[in-house]
Amino acid sequence: MLAALFSSSRFFSSSSYLRRSSIPSFHRSSIRSMADSAFKKIQIQREDTTFDAYVVGKDDAPGIVVIQEWWGVDFEIKNHAIKISKLDTGFKALIPDLYRGKVGLDTAEAQHLMDGLDWQGAVKDIRASVNWLKANGSKKVGVTGMCMGGALAIASSVLVPEVDAVVGFYGTPSSELADPAQAKAPVQAHFGELDNFVGFSDVTAAKNLEEKLKASGVAHEVHIYEGNGHAFLNRSPEGVSRRKSMGLSDEDEAAVELAWSRFTSWMKRYLV
């Protein structure tokens, strides 16, 4: 069922990323937003537009731009940003709102929002976010993201020269967006062995990414987690419920902890 969501030749186009499918929408009433009081809401200027972003962590800590999944800036990406801000010595996490205030509460809405995303504009948002962090207390800045955000994070290693390190989770950019063989920042990437999103985050996509990163010459690591599927990092009660509604029922807390440990080591190595 999950494999039917993706077409290997149509990632990150303006017309299609995920197909409408038999995956059930999950109840809006099951969503519990993370209290926004943890975040400082800011506006960032790029070219002739501005966008909202959400910041958490110490002002002078190394910065990490955290890129949303296809849902938007929802409870799960906020959970991840808060966790990142508290890891080890701590980081300053910033979530740019790529959807300009819109959030998908079911798969149809998320599909519609992602179909309408300006991918080149999203990369510009990421670059502006990196530069905002560097102008506001962070000497070095990394980028991370999950699913759609993971692909954009890896694209930033190619397209955003100010990035100091990247960690991407279960996502690879299309060749039209960015070629990882041209990466300029160190990249760590994480994938689930059972991920069926063919050409985007399955094992073959992970291994193809690894070959391209080898060609780039940058420091890199590609990790594949046995017995885990897509979005395995999402472990909040709401996130688990949503994964199950999408046919993703694996639960492996050890893999989650290992992934976060590797994330922390990588970002400390290049940002601290």
Side-chain angles (χ1 to χ4, degrees), residues 154 166-168 186-190 219-223 259 262-263 266:
I154 291 170
V166 165
V167 179
V187 176
Q188 184 186 77
H190 304 260
H220 63 276
E221 295 178 359
V222 176
H223 301 287
R262 287 168 167 166
F263 172 96
W266 191 258

Side-chain angles (χ1 to χ4, degrees), residues 36-55:
D36 285 335
S37 60
F39 293 87
K40 176 183 177 182
K41 184 178 179 180
I42 62 169
Q43 284 200 322
I44 296 177
Q45 179 84 30
R46 73 160 174 86
E47 299 172 333
D48 59 350
T49 188
T50 61
F51 60 91
D52 291 337
Y54 301 86
V55 184

